[in-house]
Structures are given as structure tokens and as C-alpha cells.
């Protein structure tokens, strides 16, 4: 049986940078004074390892405000903003806390903040194609002006009833499914909205999804490794399941209960942007030696 591991599986550039930033910080200062705003990545193993080294996760603004108030606005230490970025308001709160701020927001996300800010100032309405409750999208929305909508995909685009005299700029969540983005845009075009489209799906996502789709279309079974809360991993799972009916979604090797038909010849493996290399290797070795 052959096993193919996607070349573009695992940590993307933005996640690597954010995680390395925290580990580098541990080398230069006592880990007990390092905070991350939300878990640095959607991977429990990495987050637990950082916790052991003293890094604390601040879950939300309320928690930060309480801590800042208790210290009289003079919190000591460093806070790292993760690759998804935060809202303008949260950024301001973080800066008020007294902590040294290291902003590890991925440059591809920063670019979207800039685009929606500039386009709003030019008088355009903004449409963000993505998941409204995802922290990245919340951040993007906060940089747009008042006329901003979030559309989850083609179904919501069909229901969208905006002003046809308005000019819209449409951007995508960086990890959005590129085929679904295309479909969504086509709906806006068919409904004769005046749109300017900026495809902000990042390269890492594009390459990862295209490669996963290609492997899944020839594989007899496909394994997608990713955190339960990782939206890019879920999307990879959706893409692979469309092409390969034996697609498994796991977080670590422990979740893998492969029930493969006798005649399986090719197993494909891919992983979301927050999956460390060692987990991909463990899964790969297991499949190679046990099947
Ligand atoms: Fe950045 Fe793309 Fe990763 S936006 S965090 S390189 S998935």
C-alpha cells in the first residue's frame, strides 16, 4: 500500500512565526510573564507544552481588563497576539494593559485589515466572505467602516439583499475554500451588484487545499489531521470528503481508528495549518507500518 503525505501539510508561515515568537520569548524572559491573547494555535499539544513553560492564555478582553485593573494598569510581561489578529478595540485594550505587545498577526491578515480600512474610507461597502464568529473575521470587520456584512458562502450570497447602487469591495477570510469563494462571487455578479473583488485567500491555504483535493481524488482513504476548533482543517476535511468517501478527521494518532477495506492501495495524509510536524510523522509511520 502506498502512502502520500501532502507537501503543504501542517504549519503555515504565519502560524510558524507566531509559535516561534512565543518560544523565542521564553528564552529571553521568564515564561511566567508571557501571555497569549487566545490560544496561540488550535493545537492542544502545543498549547499544553507552552502552559507547562508558564505561558498563560488570556481568553478575552474581560479577563485582560480584570488583570490590568488588579495591577493598576501596570501589568508586567509580554503579550503575543496570534496569527488571526484581533479587533481594533481589542488591540487598543491590549495596548492599555501595560504589557509589552508583540503582534504576530499574519501579514496576510494585516493586508486584509488595510484593504477594508482603505476601501471603507473611499466610501465602499465591505463584504467579508467567511465565518462571522471566527476571530479573524471579527478582526477584519472591525477595520471596515459601518457598512460591512459577512456572508458565509453561496447560500447566504443568494439571500443577500443590499443596495444595488452601492459599490462593494469583497474580501475573503484567508482560509476560505477557494471553490466556494468563486461560487459566492458568481452569485453577486449574477445578481448585478457593483463589486470589486480582492481574493485574499492566502497562498498557503490555496496550495494546501489544491494539493489535498488532488491527493483525495486518487486516494482510497484520506486522513486529515487538525485541531477540533481549527476552521482551516475542517475545510480541508470537507474538500477531501467530497473526493474520497473514506476520509478521516483526527487531532492526534490516538483518534485514528482506521477501518480500511482490503483492497486499499493508496492512503493520503494532509494536515491543517496548526498541526505540528511530529504529529504528521507519527500518523504517517503508523499507517506505513500497520497496513
Ligand atoms: Fe497566515 Fe495563511 Fe497561515 S493567512 S496564518 S499564512 S493560513
Amino acid at each position: 500500500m502506498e502512502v502520500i503525505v501532502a507537501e503543504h501539510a501542517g504549519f503555515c508561515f504565519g502560524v510558524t512565526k507566531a509559535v516561534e515568537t512565543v518560544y523565542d520569548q521564553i528564552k529571553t524572559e521568564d515564561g511566567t510573564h508571557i501571555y497569549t491573547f487566545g490560544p496561540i494555535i488550535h493545537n492542544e499539544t502545543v498549547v499544553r507544552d507552552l502552559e507547562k513553560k508558564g505561558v498563560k492564555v488570556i481568553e478575552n478582553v474581560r479577563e485582560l481588563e480584570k488583570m490590568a485593573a488588579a495591577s493598576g494598569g501596570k501589568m508586567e510581561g509580554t503579550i503575543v497576539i496570534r496569527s488571526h489578529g484581533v479587533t481594533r478595540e481589542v488591540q487598543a485594550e491590549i495596548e492599555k494593559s501595560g504589557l509589552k505587545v508583540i503582534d504576530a498577526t499574519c501579514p496576510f491578515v494585516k493586508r486584509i485589515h488595510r484593504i477594508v480600512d482603505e476601501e471603507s474610507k473611499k466610501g465602499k461597502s465591505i463584504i467579508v466572505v467567511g465565518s462571522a464568529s471566527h476571530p479573524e473575521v471579527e478582526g477584519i470587520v472591525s477595520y471596515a467602516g459601518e457598512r460591512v456584512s459577512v456572508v458565509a458562502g453561496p447560500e447566504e450570497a443568494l439571500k443577500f439583499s443590499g443596495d444595488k447602487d452601492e459599490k462593494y469591495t469583497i474580501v475573503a477570510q484567508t482560509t476560505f475554500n477557494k471553490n466556494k469563494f468563486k461560487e459566492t462571487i458568481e452569485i453577486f455578479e449574477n445578481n448585478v451588484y457593483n463589486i470589486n473583488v480582492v481574493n485574499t485567500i492566502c497562498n498557503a491555504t490555496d496550495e494546501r487545499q489544491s494539493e489535498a483535493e488532488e491527493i483525495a481524488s486518487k486516494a482510497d482513504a484520506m486522513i486529515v489531521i487538525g485541531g477540533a476548533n481549527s476552521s482551516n482543517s475542517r475545510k480541508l476535511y470537507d474538500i477531501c470528503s467530497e473526493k474520497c468517501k473514506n476520509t478521516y478527521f483526527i487531532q492526534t494518532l490516538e483518534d485514528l481508528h482506521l477501518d480500511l477495506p482490503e483492497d486499499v492501495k493508496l492512503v493520503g495524509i494532509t494536515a491543517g495549518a496548526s498541526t505540528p510536524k511530529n504529529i504528521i510523522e507519527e500518523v504517517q509511520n503508523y499507517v506505513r507500518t500497520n497496513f
Side-chain angles (χ1 to χ4, degrees):
M1 191 186 70
E2 196 189 343
V3 179
I4 301 184
V5 181
E7 265 177 50
H8 299 284
F11 278 16
C12 61
F13 145 83
V15 167
T16 306
K17 189 171 144 256
V19 173
E20 277 176 1
T21 302
V22 183
Y23 280 103
D24 284 352
Q25 211 51 39
I26 296 170
K27 283 187 215 144
T28 56
E29 65 180 297
D30 176 7
T32 55
H33 284 116
I34 301 171
Y35 303 89
T36 62
F37 193 82
I40 194 75
I41 58 169
H42 291 302
N43 184 280
E44 284 165 24
T45 318
V46 176
V47 174
R48 250 182 273 131
D49 183 54
L50 287 171
E51 252 168 31
K52 268 193 237 143
K53 295 181 163 65
V55 176
K56 293 181 197 69
V57 177
I58 298 180
E59 293 291 349
N60 50 45
V61 173
R62 241 169 302 121
E63 198 181 329
L64 177 69
E65 279 169 350
K66 257 199 215 155
M67 292 168 82
S71 70
K74 291 198 178 70
M75 281 180 80
E76 263 181 55
T78 303
I79 186 162
V80 181
I81 297 176
R82 60 187 172 176
S83 53
H84 302 319
V86 290
T87 65
R88 226 191 253 269
E89 297 73 28
V90 170
Q91 180 94 27
E93 279 307 320
I94 290 176
E95 272 156 23
K96 270 197 325 211
S97 67
L99 291 167
K100 182 176 125 202
V101 184
I102 300 181
D103 189 354
T105 306
C106 179
F108 296 127
V109 176
K110 283 258 184 222
R111 174 175 168 250
I112 312 180
H113 292 176
R114 246 188 340 265
I115 293 170
V116 300
D117 184 31
E118 285 169 10
E119 293 292 290
S120 297
K121 285 181 180 145
K122 284 188 212 157
K124 305 263 188 71
S125 293
I126 306 294
I127 297 173
V128 186
V129 182
S131 155
S133 58
H134 191 283
E136 179 194 323
V137 174
E138 290 175 344
I140 296 169
V141 166
S142 77
Y143 281 85
E146 280 174 11
R147 297 199 312 279
V148 55
S149 322
V150 180
V151 166
E155 288 96 45
E156 282 194 13
L158 280 170
K159 290 186 215 143
F160 185 83
S161 65
D163 183 345
K164 301 228 168 151
D165 294 327
E166 289 244 1
K167 288 186 176 148
Y168 293 90
T169 289
I170 306 187
V171 294
Q173 184 176 347
T174 53
T175 51
F176 202 74
N177 177 323
K178 62 181 174 120
N179 297 330
K180 287 248 152 61
F181 186 59
K182 241 202 235 154
E183 272 178 56
T184 309
I185 297 305
E186 276 163 16
I187 293 169
F188 281 110
E189 281 168 352
N190 293 341
N191 289 344
V192 288
Y193 282 102
N194 184 345
I195 56 168
N196 158 40
V197 181
V198 191
N199 183 348
T200 50
I201 296 175
C202 87
N203 274 351
T205 304
D206 195 357
E207 285 165 354
R208 188 190 313 277
Q209 290 178 354
S210 306
E211 196 190 10
E213 191 173 4
E214 190 208 315
I215 298 175
S217 45
K218 57 186 180 201
D220 302 301
M222 191 74 199
I223 302 168
V224 179
I225 317 166
N229 298 321
S230 155
S231 79
N232 80 84
S233 306
R234 283 262 154 222
K235 280 169 201 152
L236 270 185
Y237 173 75
D238 293 343
I239 290 171
C240 292
S241 358
E242 270 181 31
K243 299 283 171 196
C244 172
K245 61 177 183 352
N246 294 317
T247 297
Y248 299 80
F249 186 77
I250 60 169
Q251 290 206 63
T252 63
L253 181 58
E254 279 147 46
D255 306 328
L256 185 63
H257 305 291
L258 276 187
D259 183 15
L260 297 179
E262 289 277 297
D263 56 348
V264 163
K265 289 193 187 63
L266 178 64
V267 175
I269 301 175
T270 188
S274 44
T275 306
K277 267 211 165 59
N278 62 322
I279 298 185
I280 304 173
E281 260 154 39
E282 262 175 31
V283 172
Q284 178 190 176
N285 291 338
Y286 175 83
V287 178
R288 282 191 201 282
T289 47
N290 288 283
F291 291 93

PDB file of all heavy atoms in Angstrom, residues 78-106:
ATOM      1  N   THR A  78       4.875  40.235  28.774  1.00  0.00           N
ATOM      2  CA  THR A  78       4.694  40.388  27.332  1.00  0.00           C
ATOM      3  C   THR A  78       3.451  39.643  26.886  1.00  0.00           C
ATOM      4  O   THR A  78       3.168  38.557  27.390  1.00  0.00           O
ATOM      5  CB  THR A  78       5.915  39.763  26.601  1.00  0.00           C
ATOM      6  OG1 THR A  78       7.077  40.419  27.086  1.00  0.00           O
ATOM      7  CG2 THR A  78       5.838  39.928  25.103  1.00  0.00           C
ATOM      8  N   ILE A  79       2.728  40.223  25.960  1.00  0.00           N
ATOM      9  CA  ILE A  79       1.571  39.514  25.396  1.00  0.00           C
ATOM     10  C   ILE A  79       1.777  39.367  23.891  1.00  0.00           C
ATOM     11  O   ILE A  79       2.218  40.305  23.223  1.00  0.00           O
ATOM     12  CB  ILE A  79       0.241  40.229  25.739  1.00  0.00           C
ATOM     13  CG1 ILE A  79      -0.949  39.385  25.263  1.00  0.00           C
ATOM     14  CG2 ILE A  79       0.154  41.634  25.162  1.00  0.00           C
ATOM     15  CD1 ILE A  79      -2.278  39.763  25.911  1.00  0.00           C
ATOM     16  N   VAL A  80       1.503  38.157  23.406  1.00  0.00           N
ATOM     17  CA  VAL A  80       1.673  37.908  21.973  1.00  0.00           C
ATOM     18  C   VAL A  80       0.288  37.795  21.340  1.00  0.00           C
ATOM     19  O   VAL A  80      -0.571  37.047  21.816  1.00  0.00           O
ATOM     20  CB  VAL A  80       2.471  36.602  21.729  1.00  0.00           C
ATOM     21  CG1 VAL A  80       2.674  36.365  20.226  1.00  0.00           C
ATOM     22  CG2 VAL A  80       3.821  36.644  22.437  1.00  0.00           C
ATOM     23  N   ILE A  81       0.069  38.572  20.280  1.00  0.00           N
ATOM     24  CA  ILE A  81      -1.189  38.479  19.523  1.00  0.00           C
ATOM     25  C   ILE A  81      -1.008  37.410  18.459  1.00  0.00           C
ATOM     26  O   ILE A  81      -0.029  37.415  17.716  1.00  0.00           O
ATOM     27  CB  ILE A  81      -1.544  39.834  18.875  1.00  0.00           C
ATOM     28  CG1 ILE A  81      -1.769  40.883  19.975  1.00  0.00           C
ATOM     29  CG2 ILE A  81      -2.769  39.710  17.966  1.00  0.00           C
ATOM     30  CD1 ILE A  81      -2.039  42.279  19.453  1.00  0.00           C
ATOM     31  N   ARG A  82      -1.944  36.471  18.385  1.00  0.00           N
ATOM     32  CA  ARG A  82      -1.777  35.323  17.483  1.00  0.00           C
ATOM     33  C   ARG A  82      -2.015  35.676  16.009  1.00  0.00           C
ATOM     34  O   ARG A  82      -2.473  36.784  15.697  1.00  0.00           O
ATOM     35  CB  ARG A  82      -2.686  34.184  17.929  1.00  0.00           C
ATOM     36  CG  ARG A  82      -4.137  34.593  17.918  1.00  0.00           C
ATOM     37  CD  ARG A  82      -4.983  33.505  18.512  1.00  0.00           C
ATOM     38  NE  ARG A  82      -6.349  33.967  18.669  1.00  0.00           N
ATOM     39  CZ  ARG A  82      -7.325  33.212  19.094  1.00  0.00           C
ATOM     40  NH1 ARG A  82      -7.087  31.955  19.408  1.00  0.00           N
ATOM     41  NH2 ARG A  82      -8.541  33.684  19.210  1.00  0.00           N
ATOM     42  N   SER A  83      -1.771  34.689  15.145  1.00  0.00           N
ATOM     43  CA  SER A  83      -1.760  34.965  13.703  1.00  0.00           C
ATOM     44  C   SER A  83      -3.100  35.437  13.131  1.00  0.00           C
ATOM     45  O   SER A  83      -3.131  36.156  12.144  1.00  0.00           O
ATOM     46  CB  SER A  83      -1.270  33.740  12.930  1.00  0.00           C
ATOM     47  OG  SER A  83      -2.009  32.615  13.292  1.00  0.00           O
ATOM     48  N   HIS A  84      -4.247  35.054  13.750  1.00  0.00           N
ATOM     49  CA  HIS A  84      -5.549  35.529  13.261  1.00  0.00           C
ATOM     50  C   HIS A  84      -5.727  37.037  13.404  1.00  0.00           C
ATOM     51  O   HIS A  84      -6.626  37.605  12.824  1.00  0.00           O
ATOM     52  CB  HIS A  84      -6.710  35.025  14.129  1.00  0.00           C
ATOM     53  CG  HIS A  84      -6.851  33.572  14.268  1.00  0.00           C
ATOM     54  ND1 HIS A  84      -6.684  32.705  13.236  1.00  0.00           N
ATOM     55  CD2 HIS A  84      -7.222  32.831  15.342  1.00  0.00           C
ATOM     56  CE1 HIS A  84      -6.932  31.490  13.677  1.00  0.00           C
ATOM     57  NE2 HIS A  84      -7.257  31.531  14.947  1.00  0.00           N
ATOM     58  N   GLY A  85      -4.962  37.637  14.339  1.00  0.00           N
ATOM     59  CA  GLY A  85      -5.154  39.053  14.636  1.00  0.00           C
ATOM     60  C   GLY A  85      -6.317  39.261  15.600  1.00  0.00           C
ATOM     61  O   GLY A  85      -6.982  38.288  16.004  1.00  0.00           O
ATOM     62  N   VAL A  86      -6.538  40.510  15.978  1.00  0.00           N
ATOM     63  CA  VAL A  86      -7.633  40.846  16.900  1.00  0.00           C
ATOM     64  C   VAL A  86      -8.390  42.049  16.339  1.00  0.00           C
ATOM     65  O   VAL A  86      -7.957  42.653  15.361  1.00  0.00           O
ATOM     66  CB  VAL A  86      -7.092  41.197  18.313  1.00  0.00           C
ATOM     67  CG1 VAL A  86      -6.530  39.980  19.016  1.00  0.00           C
ATOM     68  CG2 VAL A  86      -6.054  42.314  18.262  1.00  0.00           C
ATOM     69  N   THR A  87      -9.473  42.414  17.003  1.00  0.00           N
ATOM     70  CA  THR A  87     -10.223  43.586  16.533  1.00  0.00           C
ATOM     71  C   THR A  87      -9.457  44.853  16.943  1.00  0.00           C
ATOM     72  O   THR A  87      -8.624  44.828  17.853  1.00  0.00           O
ATOM     73  CB  THR A  87     -11.631  43.655  17.168  1.00  0.00           C
ATOM     74  OG1 THR A  87     -11.475  43.844  18.570  1.00  0.00           O
ATOM     75  CG2 THR A  87     -12.441  42.394  16.906  1.00  0.00           C
ATOM     76  N   ARG A  88      -9.795  45.935  16.277  1.00  0.00           N
ATOM     77  CA  ARG A  88      -9.204  47.235  16.593  1.00  0.00           C
ATOM     78  C   ARG A  88      -9.380  47.556  18.085  1.00  0.00           C
ATOM     79  O   ARG A  88      -8.466  48.029  18.740  1.00  0.00           O
ATOM     80  CB  ARG A  88      -9.995  48.279  15.809  1.00  0.00           C
ATOM     81  CG  ARG A  88      -9.169  49.297  15.084  1.00  0.00           C
ATOM     82  CD  ARG A  88     -10.141  50.364  14.630  1.00  0.00           C
ATOM     83  NE  ARG A  88     -10.407  50.356  13.203  1.00  0.00           N
ATOM     84  CZ  ARG A  88      -9.727  51.063  12.325  1.00  0.00           C
ATOM     85  NH1 ARG A  88      -8.705  51.783  12.696  1.00  0.00           N
ATOM     86  NH2 ARG A  88     -10.046  51.050  11.060  1.00  0.00           N
ATOM     87  N   GLU A  89     -10.602  47.254  18.602  1.00  0.00           N
ATOM     88  CA  GLU A  89     -10.922  47.576  20.002  1.00  0.00           C
ATOM     89  C   GLU A  89     -10.063  46.742  20.960  1.00  0.00           C
ATOM     90  O   GLU A  89      -9.542  47.248  21.951  1.00  0.00           O
ATOM     91  CB  GLU A  89     -12.411  47.306  20.296  1.00  0.00           C
ATOM     92  CG  GLU A  89     -13.405  48.153  19.509  1.00  0.00           C
ATOM     93  CD  GLU A  89     -13.529  47.778  18.017  1.00  0.00           C
ATOM     94  OE1 GLU A  89     -13.299  46.595  17.669  1.00  0.00           O
ATOM     95  OE2 GLU A  89     -13.837  48.667  17.196  1.00  0.00           O
ATOM     96  N   VAL A  90      -9.926  45.444  20.628  1.00  0.00           N
ATOM     97  CA  VAL A  90      -9.128  44.569  21.496  1.00  0.00           C
ATOM     98  C   VAL A  90      -7.666  45.022  21.475  1.00  0.00           C
ATOM     99  O   VAL A  90      -6.991  45.075  22.504  1.00  0.00           O
ATOM    100  CB  VAL A  90      -9.263  43.082  21.065  1.00  0.00           C
ATOM    101  CG1 VAL A  90      -8.267  42.204  21.793  1.00  0.00           C
ATOM    102  CG2 VAL A  90     -10.682  42.591  21.310  1.00  0.00           C
ATOM    103  N   GLN A  91      -7.188  45.380  20.302  1.00  0.00           N
ATOM    104  CA  GLN A  91      -5.808  45.866  20.165  1.00  0.00           C
ATOM    105  C   GLN A  91      -5.583  47.060  21.108  1.00  0.00           C
ATOM    106  O   GLN A  91      -4.589  47.120  21.833  1.00  0.00           O
ATOM    107  CB  GLN A  91      -5.565  46.293  18.718  1.00  0.00           C
ATOM    108  CG  GLN A  91      -4.173  46.830  18.438  1.00  0.00           C
ATOM    109  CD  GLN A  91      -3.225  45.754  17.931  1.00  0.00           C
ATOM    110  OE1 GLN A  91      -3.649  44.781  17.323  1.00  0.00           O
ATOM    111  NE2 GLN A  91      -1.942  45.927  18.210  1.00  0.00           N
ATOM    112  N   ALA A  92      -6.572  47.969  21.136  1.00  0.00           N
ATOM    113  CA  ALA A  92      -6.438  49.164  21.991  1.00  0.00           C
ATOM    114  C   ALA A  92      -6.406  48.758  23.466  1.00  0.00           C
ATOM    115  O   ALA A  92      -5.589  49.272  24.249  1.00  0.00           O
ATOM    116  CB  ALA A  92      -7.600  50.119  21.722  1.00  0.00           C
ATOM    117  N   GLU A  93      -7.272  47.806  23.854  1.00  0.00           N
ATOM    118  CA  GLU A  93      -7.294  47.329  25.249  1.00  0.00           C
ATOM    119  C   GLU A  93      -5.956  46.699  25.615  1.00  0.00           C
ATOM    120  O   GLU A  93      -5.436  46.913  26.698  1.00  0.00           O
ATOM    121  CB  GLU A  93      -8.394  46.267  25.441  1.00  0.00           C
ATOM    122  CG  GLU A  93      -9.789  46.800  25.636  1.00  0.00           C
ATOM    123  CD  GLU A  93      -9.904  47.829  26.748  1.00  0.00           C
ATOM    124  OE1 GLU A  93      -9.270  47.661  27.803  1.00  0.00           O
ATOM    125  OE2 GLU A  93     -10.626  48.815  26.528  1.00  0.00           O
ATOM    126  N   ILE A  94      -5.437  45.888  24.704  1.00  0.00           N
ATOM    127  CA  ILE A  94      -4.164  45.204  24.974  1.00  0.00           C
ATOM    128  C   ILE A  94      -3.071  46.253  25.189  1.00  0.00           C
ATOM    129  O   ILE A  94      -2.258  46.153  26.106  1.00  0.00           O
ATOM    130  CB  ILE A  94      -3.800  44.252  23.805  1.00  0.00           C
ATOM    131  CG1 ILE A  94      -4.760  43.065  23.789  1.00  0.00           C
ATOM    132  CG2 ILE A  94      -2.363  43.775  23.919  1.00  0.00           C
ATOM    133  CD1 ILE A  94      -4.571  42.101  22.632  1.00  0.00           C
ATOM    134  N   GLU A  95      -3.081  47.283  24.356  1.00  0.00           N
ATOM    135  CA  GLU A  95      -2.038  48.303  24.478  1.00  0.00           C
ATOM    136  C   GLU A  95      -2.151  49.089  25.779  1.00  0.00           C
ATOM    137  O   GLU A  95      -1.152  49.546  26.319  1.00  0.00           O
ATOM    138  CB  GLU A  95      -2.045  49.216  23.253  1.00  0.00           C
ATOM    139  CG  GLU A  95      -1.149  48.607  22.184  1.00  0.00           C
ATOM    140  CD  GLU A  95      -1.471  49.049  20.780  1.00  0.00           C
ATOM    141  OE1 GLU A  95      -2.078  50.118  20.624  1.00  0.00           O
ATOM    142  OE2 GLU A  95      -1.108  48.314  19.842  1.00  0.00           O
ATOM    143  N   LYS A  96      -3.393  49.181  26.312  1.00  0.00           N
ATOM    144  CA  LYS A  96      -3.583  49.915  27.579  1.00  0.00           C
ATOM    145  C   LYS A  96      -3.115  49.125  28.799  1.00  0.00           C
ATOM    146  O   LYS A  96      -2.970  49.655  29.878  1.00  0.00           O
ATOM    147  CB  LYS A  96      -5.088  50.201  27.761  1.00  0.00           C
ATOM    148  CG  LYS A  96      -5.519  51.516  27.143  1.00  0.00           C
ATOM    149  CD  LYS A  96      -6.854  52.042  27.629  1.00  0.00           C
ATOM    150  CE  LYS A  96      -7.922  51.059  27.936  1.00  0.00           C
ATOM    151  NZ  LYS A  96      -9.294  51.429  27.750  1.00  0.00           N
ATOM    152  N   SER A  97      -2.946  47.799  28.623  1.00  0.00           N
ATOM    153  CA  SER A  97      -2.735  46.926  29.784  1.00  0.00           C
ATOM    154  C   SER A  97      -1.406  47.135  30.492  1.00  0.00           C
ATOM    155  O   SER A  97      -1.231  46.729  31.631  1.00  0.00           O
ATOM    156  CB  SER A  97      -2.825  45.458  29.342  1.00  0.00           C
ATOM    157  OG  SER A  97      -1.721  45.173  28.486  1.00  0.00           O
ATOM    158  N   GLY A  98      -0.463  47.755  29.814  1.00  0.00           N
ATOM    159  CA  GLY A  98       0.866  47.915  30.407  1.00  0.00           C
ATOM    160  C   GLY A  98       1.823  46.830  29.941  1.00  0.00           C
ATOM    161  O   GLY A  98       3.039  46.914  30.127  1.00  0.00           O
ATOM    162  N   LEU A  99       1.289  45.781  29.337  1.00  0.00           N
ATOM    163  CA  LEU A  99       2.148  44.692  28.856  1.00  0.00           C
ATOM    164  C   LEU A  99       2.882  45.121  27.591  1.00  0.00           C
ATOM    165  O   LEU A  99       2.368  45.934  26.812  1.00  0.00           O
ATOM    166  CB  LEU A  99       1.296  43.461  28.516  1.00  0.00           C
ATOM    167  CG  LEU A  99       0.649  42.728  29.679  1.00  0.00           C
ATOM    168  CD1 LEU A  99      -0.400  41.747  29.153  1.00  0.00           C
ATOM    169  CD2 LEU A  99       1.695  41.991  30.495  1.00  0.00           C
ATOM    170  N   LYS A 100       4.067  44.534  27.389  1.00  0.00           N
ATOM    171  CA  LYS A 100       4.755  44.758  26.107  1.00  0.00           C
ATOM    172  C   LYS A 100       4.011  43.920  25.065  1.00  0.00           C
ATOM    173  O   LYS A 100       3.702  42.750  25.323  1.00  0.00           O
ATOM    174  CB  LYS A 100       6.203  44.286  26.249  1.00  0.00           C
ATOM    175  CG  LYS A 100       7.043  44.507  25.025  1.00  0.00           C
ATOM    176  CD  LYS A 100       8.489  44.090  25.322  1.00  0.00           C
ATOM    177  CE  LYS A 100       8.922  43.079  24.300  1.00  0.00           C
ATOM    178  NZ  LYS A 100      10.011  42.229  24.681  1.00  0.00           N
ATOM    179  N   VAL A 101       3.698  44.521  23.932  1.00  0.00           N
ATOM    180  CA  VAL A 101       2.891  43.801  22.939  1.00  0.00           C
ATOM    181  C   VAL A 101       3.754  43.321  21.777  1.00  0.00           C
ATOM    182  O   VAL A 101       4.490  44.102  21.181  1.00  0.00           O
ATOM    183  CB  VAL A 101       1.765  44.715  22.376  1.00  0.00           C
ATOM    184  CG1 VAL A 101       0.868  43.927  21.424  1.00  0.00           C
ATOM    185  CG2 VAL A 101       0.954  45.335  23.504  1.00  0.00           C
ATOM    186  N   ILE A 102       3.668  42.020  21.496  1.00  0.00           N
ATOM    187  CA  ILE A 102       4.301  41.513  20.271  1.00  0.00           C
ATOM    188  C   ILE A 102       3.169  41.068  19.361  1.00  0.00           C
ATOM    189  O   ILE A 102       2.384  40.183  19.707  1.00  0.00           O
ATOM    190  CB  ILE A 102       5.251  40.331  20.543  1.00  0.00           C
ATOM    191  CG1 ILE A 102       6.363  40.757  21.498  1.00  0.00           C
ATOM    192  CG2 ILE A 102       5.857  39.821  19.230  1.00  0.00           C
ATOM    193  CD1 ILE A 102       7.368  39.667  21.796  1.00  0.00           C
ATOM    194  N   ASP A 103       3.069  41.717  18.221  1.00  0.00           N
ATOM    195  CA  ASP A 103       1.959  41.441  17.314  1.00  0.00           C
ATOM    196  C   ASP A 103       2.377  40.412  16.275  1.00  0.00           C
ATOM    197  O   ASP A 103       3.132  40.718  15.354  1.00  0.00           O
ATOM    198  CB  ASP A 103       1.540  42.763  16.639  1.00  0.00           C
ATOM    199  CG  ASP A 103       0.260  42.609  15.838  1.00  0.00           C
ATOM    200  OD1 ASP A 103      -0.226  41.468  15.715  1.00  0.00           O
ATOM    201  OD2 ASP A 103      -0.248  43.625  15.351  1.00  0.00           O
ATOM    202  N   ALA A 104       1.905  39.165  16.461  1.00  0.00           N
ATOM    203  CA  ALA A 104       2.261  38.106  15.495  1.00  0.00           C
ATOM    204  C   ALA A 104       1.124  37.881  14.492  1.00  0.00           C
ATOM    205  O   ALA A 104       1.020  36.814  13.889  1.00  0.00           O
ATOM    206  CB  ALA A 104       2.601  36.813  16.232  1.00  0.00           C
ATOM    207  N   THR A 105       0.285  38.908  14.316  1.00  0.00           N
ATOM    208  CA  THR A 105      -0.776  38.783  13.302  1.00  0.00           C
ATOM    209  C   THR A 105      -0.113  38.499  11.955  1.00  0.00           C
ATOM    210  O   THR A 105       0.842  39.179  11.573  1.00  0.00           O
ATOM    211  CB  THR A 105      -1.578  40.107  13.179  1.00  0.00           C
ATOM    212  OG1 THR A 105      -2.056  40.467  14.463  1.00  0.00           O
ATOM    213  CG2 THR A 105      -2.745  39.952  12.223  1.00  0.00           C
ATOM    214  N   CYS A 106      -0.621  37.503  11.254  1.00  0.00           N
ATOM    215  CA  CYS A 106      -0.028  37.134   9.971  1.00  0.00           C
ATOM    216  C   CYS A 106      -0.098  38.320   8.999  1.00  0.00           C
ATOM    217  O   CYS A 106      -1.139  38.975   8.904  1.00  0.00           O
ATOM    218  CB  CYS A 106      -0.777  35.937   9.396  1.00  0.00           C
ATOM    219  SG  CYS A 106      -0.121  35.460   7.803  1.00  0.00           S
TER     220      CYS A 106
END
